[in-house]
Amino acid sequence: MSKHLVFIIDKPLHGNVKAQEFLDSILMAAAFDQRVDVVLVGDGVFAMLDNQQPEKLDMKNILPVFGTLSLYGINGVTVEEEALRERGLVISQLHEISNVMPREKVKQTMLTAHHIFSF
Amino acid sequence: MDSLEHLTLDEFGFMKDRTQWSERVATTFAEKDGLILSPAHWEIILFMQSYYDQYNHQPNARLFGQAIKKQLGADKGSSIYLYTLFPDGPLKYANKYAGLPIPPSCI
């Protein structure tokens, strides 16, 4: 049976391997034909900033990996509108696959989920 | 058969330096494994390379099949089809012949 899974991330993804672990779990859920939403709130929105250069820290650039989500049936990444505003960020600074959603709608998404995974 | 001695390989026999890769290298790798590469093999090998270049990511076996289904057609992403081409493990050997690192799930 297909379930609705929501993955929430509220921490910056750079500087450690958390991002890789996070993406691996999301991709596996999608590969098993589950309905998956990926939502970035709080400092998690920094993950979608364009023009990052993690290679300089000897870290892998994971932004391109987000591009695989659509291959596995996930329609992009949702970013919380308020989190952006609170950090002085605008949509045009984000990677193209992001959708923006107000906090109230993020809550609705979480309410309808069968399972919520938080990273 | 060509020699592969000039290549830098890791402990699993995968290439460490993709700039040394050529179609000839892939063919020679395959011959050593007793495999003649057909256009069907090449389709999968070139797919692996373009996926890696585009997404900076190596899928595990399940995702690999899904990605191929989506981009090359449902029949080509099936395990039966892929194992017919690469009997010892499609994910591992498609990556090896493509000159890519060994996938994390194959160690």
Side-chain angles (χ1 to χ4, degrees), chain A residues 20 24 27-28 30-33 55 60-68 70-73, chain B residues 47 51-68 70-71 104:
Chain A
Q20 196 55 55
D24 281 347
L27 293 176
M28 277 322 287
F32 284 94
D33 299 322
E55 294 87 354
K60 181 178 154 145
N61 186 6
I62 55 142
L63 215 44
V65 185
F66 281 104
T68 64
S70 65
L71 275 182
Y72 305 119
Chain B
F47 170 81
Y51 182 98
Y52 187 78
D53 292 339
Q54 187 176 356
Y55 301 119
N56 200 18
H57 177 243
Q58 280 184 297
N60 63 28
R62 171 108 193 174
L63 294 171
F64 171 63
Q66 295 269 81
I68 291 177
K70 183 97 176 200
Q71 300 212 321

Side-chain angles (χ1 to χ4, degrees), chain A residues 93-111:
Chain A
Q93 290 172 285
L94 302 183
H95 198 56
E96 57 190 20
I97 54 165
S98 341
N99 321 306
V100 177
M101 191 186 270
R103 188 164 287 161
E104 203 44 49
K105 270 192 91 181
V106 170
K107 280 187 190 162
Q108 295 297 323
T109 307
M110 287 166 74
L111 281 174

Side-chain angles (χ1 to χ4, degrees), chain B residues 27 30-31 33-39 41-42 85:
Chain B
T27 317
E31 276 172 17
D33 295 332
L35 210 60
I36 306 291
L37 296 183
S38 68
H41 291 96
W42 279 110
L85 292 176

Side-chain angles (χ1 to χ4, degrees), chain B residues 9-83:
Chain B
L9 301 180
D10 69 9
E11 55 184 307
F12 305 102
F14 281 63
M15 294 182 71
K16 278 181 150 176
D17 176 6
R18 196 171 146 201
T19 60
Q20 297 178 325
W21 186 88
S22 64
E23 294 192 1
R24 187 96 202 148
V25 167
T27 317
T28 313
F29 266 143
E31 276 172 17
K32 279 196 187 293
D33 295 332
L35 210 60
I36 306 291
L37 296 183
S38 68
H41 291 96
W42 279 110
E43 185 179 36
I44 304 296
I45 292 167
L46 296 176
F47 170 81
M48 285 319 290
Q49 289 183 340
S50 71
Y51 182 98
Y52 187 78
D53 292 339
Q54 187 176 356
Y55 301 119
N56 200 18
H57 177 243
Q58 280 184 297
N60 63 28
R62 171 108 193 174
L63 294 171
F64 171 63
Q66 295 269 81
I68 291 177
K69 263 182 204 164
K70 183 97 176 200
Q71 300 212 321
L72 303 178
D75 47 333
K76 290 177 177 160
S78 79
S79 291
I80 294 176
Y81 176 80
L82 292 169
Y83 271 92

